[in-house]
Structures are given as structure tokens and as C-alpha cells.
Amino acid sequence: MIREINFDGLIGPTHNYAALSFGNLASASNQGATSRPRDAALQGLAKMRFAMGLGLAQGFLLPLERPNATWLRQLGFAGSDAQVCAAAHAGDPRLFAQACSASSMWTANAATVSPAADCADGRTHLSVANLSRMTHRSLEHPDTLAQLRLAFANPAFAVHEAVPATFGDEGAANHMRLTSAHGDVGVEVFVYGEEGGKFPARQNRRASEAVARRHGLAPERTLFVAQSTAAIDAGAFHNDVVAVANEHVLFAHEQAFADAGALKADLARLLPEAVVVEVPASAVSLADAIRSYLFNSQLVTVPDGSMALILPMESHDCAPVKAYLDSLVAGNGPIRAVHYVQVRESMRNGGGPACLRLRVVADPSTIDPRFLLDDAKADRLAALVTAHWPETIGPGDLGNPALWEQAWQARRALLAAFEF
Ligand code: SUG
């Protein structure tokens, strides 16, 4: 059966606050804070369990190896893994922090996914994102490619390598799909940013166009839409900070797009049943939308056919946002329920519930079962995290060789326990 499966990134043992993402206000404002990797991973697992409890299909992706000694060797550091790390940390602490980032947890940036119904060859296409605009993220794609080729090895899928780094691509975070039902043909909407604002535009239009060509999407059902500069300047470094779509519903801030009118007209023409739930700035300002991550929620169809939002607790704690959500579910719109989850550790680096998951519409039986989650596996993952993940990482800890060893050992234990 074709259904939507959310693949969450298991949060890795080096999760920390190094302020590596310019334009991401949460990342910048938590510089130097002490992180809690064990809590972070357990919060992520609790969210996965919550989604399963709603009756949704859930998968997970593994954290990538950090510190990444392979990348540091490419940059000229030599010796054993520990020697490479020691030399990099001593010579260039910022570069070393980049090699330590657990940023692959935000799997909405792992790849762009086009379900089989939209693709000319009838396969589900995935294009790994190059993440070339942020140094610490630009080292993810070779390992992400290897992992996705393992999970989606079945011929029902085509997994493409990243587009050339010249054109920044940040994956599903800048891609939305509207359709009458997940398995039906859809309208794919690629959202890009234009340079010239206060912060870097991370998604390049040419990268999106390349992905659409590679996936064999029908041009008449593919839209390329610019983010508004106001949204990027307010801290919406990805479109999924100001908009989210599910089946026939688009939930977006009024100021998300440069030309919202044109997008609404195109959607009405291509998918007459489309419903746009547009939140006016008079109800929720862009600043509150970004502070609360209202739109970085998971908009999901639950088994009774209705839609629900899985939101970060920060949305509950922001008065105008909470008031808006209360009125939303009291009304007659398609979104019938709101649920709040605690993902504070990820949120402090600008990653909400939607950042932590990659949506794949497919038949679960075509996916390597090691990547699919159930309650028993979630229990085993939680036990492993509790045993191996560091409790805290303070600003001075990244240079500690014991931390590197612990992180590598944690990953080895994970791979061995789950037979990867
Ligand atoms: O790329 N933060 C991530 C957050 C990604 C959120 N993803 C989506 N919106 N889909 C980023 O900016 C911060 C890491 C640090 O500063 O240590 C970071 O990479």
C-alpha cells in the first residue's frame, strides 16, 4: 500500500551549539550554550513514537560519523583519526566544529523526494541535497547518498547524487507537494530564494530546476516559486519555516512568498480542490512565526482521513500563535487537531518537528526494513542512546579527545546493534 512515511534523523552524539548557520536566528542566539545530546536524541525518539501513536508510518535515518576525519583529511590534516582531529582543533577550531556538527539530524534537508505518481518513469526519485551554502552541512551529501542508496535500494526508487555545488540545494525543506491523495499525481512546488537580502538565500532556482528535470516531472505540474525577501530577512532560511503542505492543503504565512497571489491562482488551476490556509501577519507576525516555528510543524493525514498538526512546544508558548491555533481547530477548516511535542534541543539550533523528518510516499514493503521503526526498535534505540550519548557538550568540550572517542564508539554500537 502506498503511504507517507516520515524518516526522522536520529540526533547524533555530537549535537552542540556552535552557531554555524548564518541567517538561522536560533543557531546564532544559542552560541556557546551547553547542549544535551542524550536528551536531544530522546526528544526526537519521543516525537517519532508520538507520530506512530497517531497511526502514521515512521522510519529513521542514522546520524553520520562525527567528527568527520575523512573530510579533515581532504583538507590536509594527517595521521590517525584522533591525530587529524587534534591537529584540526588546534589549528582551526571553527573548521573543527564544522567537522563535528550533528546537522544531518535535519533530514528535511537530506534530499528532495518526488513520489512515483509524479515521475515519468513511474519510480520514486530522490535527489540528495548538496547543502553547499553552509560549510558544516556541505559535508553531509556523500554519506547521505550512501545511506539513502541502502534504504531505497529497491528498483522502485532512483536515488540521485547531489547537483553541482555551484547551485545551492537544501532538499525537501524547499519543496512542497499538493495532491488529492498521497498516491495520486501531484503538483510539485519548488521554492527558491533570491540573493541580495540580509542573509544568504540557500536554495537556488537552478538547483530546483535540475532536480525537477532529473525526476522527470511534468513541466505543466511543476511550479517554481520565490520566497519573499521579507521572510528570509526575518530568519526563514528555508521555506518550511513559513509554509507546509499536505495532500490538498497548503498552510502558509501571508508573507512567505514573493507573489502569493500567483501561487494561489496556479494551485486553483492545477488542483481545484486545493485549500490554502493563509495566516495573516495581523494574527501572527513573521517574527512570531519564526520564533514559535508555527509552520515548521508536520501537517499529516491521520487514519480517519482528517488532518492534524504536530507542532513544537514553542508554538504553544507563544501567545498569538496559541490563540491562532485555538481558533483554527475551533473553525471548520481541514486542520482538525493540534499536538505539541518537545524538541527543544533541536529547536535551539533552528530545527523544528518538520526539519527533523523526510517524507517519502511509497510502499513500505519496498524499503529496507532496517530503516523502518516500531515500538520495540524505538525502545532499543532509546536504550542505546541512554548508554552511549554524552549528557552535555559545553563550548570547551569539542576539543576533548574523550568526546571524539565516545561519539565514534556510540555510532559503532548503533551500527552493530541494528546490523547496518
Ligand atoms: O541548516 N541548523 C540547521 C537547521 C536546519 C533546519 N531545517 C529545516 N528548516 N528544514 C541549518 O541551519 C545549526 C548548527 C549549529 O549552529 O551548530 C544548523 O545547522
Side-chain angles (χ1 to χ4, degrees), residues 114-127 158 160 185 188 190 208-222:
S114 296
D118 299 351
C119 301
D121 66 359
R123 296 198 290 167
T124 294
H125 285 250
L126 295 91
S127 276
H160 305 264
V185 67
E188 298 208 9
F190 290 83
S208 300
E209 289 170 343
V211 169
R213 274 191 293 269
R214 287 146 60 133
H215 292 191
L217 301 180
E220 64 278 13
R221 288 198 313 271
T222 307

Short mmCIF file of all heavy atoms in Angstrom, two decimals, residues 114-127 158 160 185 188 190 208-222:
data_model
loop_
_atom_site.label_atom_id
_atom_site.label_comp_id
_atom_site.label_asym_id
_atom_site.label_seq_id
_atom_site.Cartn_x
_atom_site.Cartn_y
_atom_site.Cartn_z
N SER A 114 10.38 12.96 -5.03
CA SER A 114 9.20 13.02 -5.89
C SER A 114 8.59 11.63 -5.96
O SER A 114 9.22 10.69 -6.45
CB SER A 114 9.58 13.47 -7.31
OG SER A 114 10.10 14.77 -7.31
N PRO A 115 7.36 11.49 -5.46
CA PRO A 115 6.72 10.17 -5.49
C PRO A 115 6.50 9.67 -6.92
O PRO A 115 6.38 10.45 -7.87
CB PRO A 115 5.39 10.41 -4.78
CG PRO A 115 5.61 11.62 -3.94
CD PRO A 115 6.56 12.48 -4.73
N ALA A 116 6.43 8.34 -7.04
CA ALA A 116 6.34 7.68 -8.34
C ALA A 116 5.24 8.27 -9.23
O ALA A 116 5.43 8.42 -10.44
CB ALA A 116 6.11 6.19 -8.13
N ALA A 117 4.11 8.63 -8.62
CA ALA A 117 2.97 9.11 -9.43
C ALA A 117 3.31 10.37 -10.22
O ALA A 117 2.69 10.65 -11.25
CB ALA A 117 1.77 9.39 -8.52
N ASP A 118 4.31 11.12 -9.78
CA ASP A 118 4.68 12.38 -10.46
C ASP A 118 5.78 12.19 -11.50
O ASP A 118 6.09 13.13 -12.24
CB ASP A 118 5.19 13.41 -9.45
CG ASP A 118 4.16 13.79 -8.41
OD1 ASP A 118 2.99 13.40 -8.56
OD2 ASP A 118 4.53 14.49 -7.44
N CYS A 119 6.45 11.04 -11.51
CA CYS A 119 7.69 10.89 -12.27
C CYS A 119 7.44 10.10 -13.56
O CYS A 119 6.72 9.09 -13.55
CB CYS A 119 8.76 10.19 -11.43
SG CYS A 119 9.12 11.10 -9.90
N ALA A 120 8.08 10.55 -14.66
CA ALA A 120 7.81 9.98 -15.98
C ALA A 120 8.06 8.48 -16.01
O ALA A 120 7.33 7.75 -16.68
CB ALA A 120 8.68 10.69 -17.02
N ASP A 121 9.06 7.98 -15.29
CA ASP A 121 9.38 6.55 -15.38
C ASP A 121 8.67 5.71 -14.32
O ASP A 121 8.94 4.52 -14.19
CB ASP A 121 10.90 6.33 -15.32
CG ASP A 121 11.50 6.72 -13.97
OD1 ASP A 121 10.75 7.18 -13.08
OD2 ASP A 121 12.72 6.56 -13.80
N GLY A 122 7.78 6.32 -13.57
CA GLY A 122 6.99 5.54 -12.59
C GLY A 122 7.78 5.09 -11.38
O GLY A 122 7.32 4.24 -10.61
N ARG A 123 9.00 5.65 -11.20
CA ARG A 123 9.76 5.34 -9.98
C ARG A 123 9.72 6.55 -9.04
O ARG A 123 9.47 7.67 -9.47
CB ARG A 123 11.22 5.02 -10.34
CG ARG A 123 11.32 3.76 -11.21
CD ARG A 123 12.73 3.20 -11.20
NE ARG A 123 13.66 4.04 -11.93
CZ ARG A 123 14.99 3.92 -11.86
NH1 ARG A 123 15.54 3.01 -11.08
NH2 ARG A 123 15.78 4.70 -12.58
N THR A 124 9.98 6.29 -7.77
CA THR A 124 10.10 7.38 -6.81
C THR A 124 11.53 7.90 -6.86
O THR A 124 12.48 7.13 -6.67
CB THR A 124 9.76 6.85 -5.39
OG1 THR A 124 8.38 6.49 -5.40
CG2 THR A 124 10.01 7.91 -4.33
N HIS A 125 11.68 9.20 -7.14
CA HIS A 125 13.03 9.77 -7.29
C HIS A 125 13.43 10.57 -6.05
O HIS A 125 12.64 11.35 -5.52
CB HIS A 125 13.07 10.67 -8.52
CG HIS A 125 13.11 9.90 -9.81
ND1 HIS A 125 14.21 9.83 -10.62
CD2 HIS A 125 12.16 9.12 -10.41
CE1 HIS A 125 13.96 9.07 -11.67
NE2 HIS A 125 12.72 8.62 -11.57
N LEU A 126 14.67 10.37 -5.64
CA LEU A 126 15.24 11.16 -4.54
C LEU A 126 16.53 11.81 -5.04
O LEU A 126 17.38 11.12 -5.61
CB LEU A 126 15.61 10.27 -3.33
CG LEU A 126 14.46 9.57 -2.58
CD1 LEU A 126 14.20 8.19 -3.16
CD2 LEU A 126 14.83 9.43 -1.10
N SER A 127 16.68 13.11 -4.86
CA SER A 127 17.94 13.80 -5.17
C SER A 127 18.56 14.28 -3.87
O SER A 127 17.96 15.11 -3.16
CB SER A 127 17.71 15.02 -6.07
OG SER A 127 17.64 14.63 -7.42
N ALA A 158 14.80 5.68 -7.51
CA ALA A 158 16.03 6.15 -8.15
C ALA A 158 16.62 7.19 -7.20
O ALA A 158 15.96 8.19 -6.89
CB ALA A 158 15.72 6.78 -9.50
N HIS A 160 19.48 9.90 -6.71
CA HIS A 160 20.46 10.68 -7.46
C HIS A 160 21.46 11.35 -6.52
O HIS A 160 21.09 11.78 -5.43
CB HIS A 160 19.78 11.82 -8.24
CG HIS A 160 18.69 11.35 -9.16
ND1 HIS A 160 18.90 11.11 -10.50
CD2 HIS A 160 17.38 11.09 -8.94
CE1 HIS A 160 17.75 10.72 -11.06
NE2 HIS A 160 16.82 10.70 -10.13
N VAL A 185 -1.29 11.58 -8.59
CA VAL A 185 -0.39 12.56 -9.21
C VAL A 185 -0.53 13.90 -8.49
O VAL A 185 -1.61 14.25 -8.01
CB VAL A 185 -0.69 12.65 -10.73
CG1 VAL A 185 -2.05 13.25 -10.99
CG2 VAL A 185 0.38 13.41 -11.45
N GLU A 188 4.06 19.69 -7.90
CA GLU A 188 5.25 19.88 -7.07
C GLU A 188 5.66 21.35 -7.11
O GLU A 188 5.77 21.95 -8.17
CB GLU A 188 6.37 18.94 -7.53
CG GLU A 188 5.95 17.48 -7.37
CD GLU A 188 7.09 16.51 -7.13
OE1 GLU A 188 8.24 16.95 -6.92
OE2 GLU A 188 6.81 15.29 -7.15
N PHE A 190 8.51 24.03 -6.03
CA PHE A 190 9.89 24.24 -5.59
C PHE A 190 10.03 25.71 -5.19
O PHE A 190 9.73 26.60 -5.99
CB PHE A 190 10.86 23.92 -6.73
CG PHE A 190 10.94 22.44 -7.07
CD1 PHE A 190 10.00 21.85 -7.91
CD2 PHE A 190 11.95 21.65 -6.54
CE1 PHE A 190 10.08 20.49 -8.22
CE2 PHE A 190 12.04 20.29 -6.85
CZ PHE A 190 11.10 19.70 -7.69
N SER A 208 16.82 23.71 -8.13
CA SER A 208 15.45 23.15 -8.12
C SER A 208 15.06 22.68 -9.52
O SER A 208 14.46 21.61 -9.69
CB SER A 208 14.46 24.20 -7.65
OG SER A 208 14.79 24.63 -6.34
N GLU A 209 15.41 23.48 -10.53
CA GLU A 209 15.06 23.10 -11.91
C GLU A 209 15.79 21.81 -12.30
O GLU A 209 15.23 20.95 -12.97
CB GLU A 209 15.42 24.24 -12.87
CG GLU A 209 14.47 25.42 -12.70
CD GLU A 209 14.91 26.68 -13.44
OE1 GLU A 209 16.09 26.78 -13.84
OE2 GLU A 209 14.07 27.58 -13.60
N ALA A 210 17.03 21.69 -11.86
CA ALA A 210 17.80 20.47 -12.17
C ALA A 210 17.14 19.25 -11.53
O ALA A 210 17.00 18.20 -12.16
CB ALA A 210 19.24 20.62 -11.68
N VAL A 211 16.72 19.41 -10.27
CA VAL A 211 16.08 18.29 -9.57
C VAL A 211 14.80 17.89 -10.31
O VAL A 211 14.54 16.71 -10.55
CB VAL A 211 15.79 18.67 -8.10
CG1 VAL A 211 14.90 17.64 -7.42
CG2 VAL A 211 17.10 18.83 -7.33
N ALA A 212 14.00 18.87 -10.70
CA ALA A 212 12.75 18.57 -11.40
C ALA A 212 13.01 17.84 -12.72
O ALA A 212 12.31 16.87 -13.05
CB ALA A 212 11.98 19.87 -11.66
N ARG A 213 14.05 18.26 -13.46
CA ARG A 213 14.39 17.56 -14.71
C ARG A 213 14.82 16.14 -14.44
O ARG A 213 14.39 15.21 -15.12
CB ARG A 213 15.54 18.30 -15.43
CG ARG A 213 15.11 19.44 -16.32
CD ARG A 213 16.28 19.95 -17.18
NE ARG A 213 17.34 20.58 -16.40
CZ ARG A 213 17.39 21.89 -16.11
NH1 ARG A 213 16.47 22.70 -16.55
NH2 ARG A 213 18.39 22.36 -15.41
N ARG A 214 15.71 15.98 -13.43
CA ARG A 214 16.21 14.64 -13.14
C ARG A 214 15.09 13.69 -12.72
O ARG A 214 15.13 12.50 -13.01
CB ARG A 214 17.26 14.71 -12.02
CG ARG A 214 18.57 15.31 -12.49
CD ARG A 214 19.25 16.12 -11.42
NE ARG A 214 19.53 15.35 -10.27
CZ ARG A 214 20.70 15.31 -9.61
NH1 ARG A 214 21.67 15.95 -9.92
NH2 ARG A 214 20.92 14.64 -8.58
N HIS A 215 14.09 14.23 -12.03
CA HIS A 215 13.00 13.37 -11.56
C HIS A 215 11.97 13.07 -12.65
O HIS A 215 11.08 12.25 -12.44
CB HIS A 215 12.31 14.02 -10.36
CG HIS A 215 13.19 14.07 -9.13
ND1 HIS A 215 12.72 14.40 -7.89
CD2 HIS A 215 14.50 13.80 -8.96
CE1 HIS A 215 13.71 14.35 -7.00
NE2 HIS A 215 14.81 14.00 -7.64
N GLY A 216 12.09 13.75 -13.79
CA GLY A 216 11.14 13.51 -14.88
C GLY A 216 9.75 14.04 -14.55
O GLY A 216 8.73 13.42 -14.89
N LEU A 217 9.69 15.21 -13.90
CA LEU A 217 8.40 15.80 -13.54
C LEU A 217 7.78 16.47 -14.77
O LEU A 217 8.50 17.03 -15.61
CB LEU A 217 8.58 16.83 -12.43
CG LEU A 217 9.20 16.31 -11.13
CD1 LEU A 217 9.31 17.44 -10.10
CD2 LEU A 217 8.38 15.14 -10.56
N ALA A 218 6.47 16.45 -14.86
CA ALA A 218 5.79 17.11 -15.97
C ALA A 218 5.86 18.62 -15.75
O ALA A 218 5.42 19.12 -14.71
CB ALA A 218 4.34 16.66 -16.01
N PRO A 219 6.44 19.37 -16.72
CA PRO A 219 6.59 20.82 -16.51
C PRO A 219 5.27 21.53 -16.19
O PRO A 219 5.25 22.47 -15.41
CB PRO A 219 7.16 21.31 -17.85
CG PRO A 219 7.82 20.09 -18.44
CD PRO A 219 7.03 18.91 -17.98
N GLU A 220 4.17 21.02 -16.76
CA GLU A 220 2.90 21.72 -16.53
C GLU A 220 2.36 21.50 -15.11
O GLU A 220 1.43 22.18 -14.69
CB GLU A 220 1.86 21.32 -17.60
CG GLU A 220 1.42 19.87 -17.61
CD GLU A 220 2.38 18.92 -18.36
OE1 GLU A 220 3.53 19.34 -18.67
OE2 GLU A 220 1.98 17.77 -18.59
N ARG A 221 2.95 20.56 -14.38
CA ARG A 221 2.51 20.37 -12.99
C ARG A 221 3.62 20.71 -11.99
O ARG A 221 3.62 20.25 -10.86
CB ARG A 221 2.06 18.91 -12.76
CG ARG A 221 0.74 18.54 -13.42
CD ARG A 221 0.16 17.25 -12.81
NE ARG A 221 1.17 16.22 -12.69
CZ ARG A 221 1.45 15.32 -13.64
NH1 ARG A 221 0.76 15.34 -14.78
NH2 ARG A 221 2.38 14.41 -13.47
N THR A 222 4.59 21.51 -12.46
CA THR A 222 5.73 21.85 -11.60
C THR A 222 5.82 23.37 -11.50
O THR A 222 5.82 24.06 -12.52
CB THR A 222 7.03 21.28 -12.20
OG1 THR A 222 6.85 19.88 -12.43
CG2 THR A 222 8.20 21.48 -11.26
#
